[in-house]
Amino acid sequence: MGPNLKKIEEISDGDDVFKKKMIDIIKQEFPKEKQDYYFYLEQNKYQESALIIHKLKHKINLLDLEEGFKLAQDFEVELKNNKLDLKDSFEELLATIEAYLTTLSL
C-alpha cells in the first residue's frame, strides 16, 4: 500500500489546522532530509546517512508506510555497518514519498 494520511488523520482527530501543520512540516523537511541523505551517501559518510534515515523514519511512519518503515530501520542498521544492500529499495521509497507529497494540496 502506498503513502496515505490515515495516521495523520488519527493523530489530528478532526483538527484540520493541526493536520495541515503536520503535512506542511513533512513537506518542508522531507526534501532537505532527502538531499542530506544523498549528500552524505555520496561522501561515503554512512553514519551521517544513517542519522538522516532515523529522522526520515518518523515521516515514513506518519505516512502509514509500515513496510517502508521496516525497510528504513533495516537500511539504517546496514549503513551503520557500512553496507548498502538495501540502498536501491530505500531510494525507491524516497521517490514514492516525494511523488506523493507533490500531490498533496491542503
Side-chain angles (χ1 to χ4, degrees):
M1 181 151 84
N4 63 69
L5 299 177
K6 274 190 341 192
K7 282 195 178 189
I8 292 174
E9 289 169 356
E10 285 175 20
I11 293 168
S12 62
D13 195 30
D15 185 337
D16 289 337
V17 173
F18 182 71
K19 176 181 167 183
K20 183 181 181 326
K21 282 183 184 178
M22 288 184 71
I23 293 168
D24 287 345
I25 289 169
I26 292 171
K27 288 178 80 169
Q28 178 184 357
E29 291 179 357
F30 179 82
K32 173 72 171 117
E33 290 171 357
K34 180 182 168 216
Q35 180 182 3
D36 290 347
Y37 158 77
Y38 281 111
F39 173 79
Y40 289 125
L41 195 66
E42 289 170 8
Q43 307 277 322
N44 295 322
K45 294 183 176 180
Y46 299 151
Q47 303 306 310
E48 289 85 349
S49 293
L51 289 173
I52 299 301
I53 290 174
H54 186 76
K55 291 180 183 180
L56 286 165
K57 282 190 317 191
H58 300 290
K59 291 164 187 66
I60 293 166
N61 185 45
L62 284 172
L63 293 172
D64 203 26
L65 292 164
E66 290 180 30
E67 290 177 21
F69 184 80
K70 174 76 171 114
L71 171 65
Q73 281 182 312
D74 292 345
F75 188 43
E76 180 183 4
V77 171
E78 265 195 12
L79 282 169
K80 290 178 181 178
N81 292 305
N82 297 317
K83 294 173 119 182
L84 298 172
D85 296 341
L86 297 172
K87 177 183 172 291
D88 291 342
S89 297
F90 181 74
E91 291 176 1
E92 286 177 26
L93 174 64
L94 293 180
T96 299
I97 292 169
E98 183 174 49
Y100 177 72
L101 292 177
T102 62
T103 68
L104 293 179
S105 59
L106 298 170

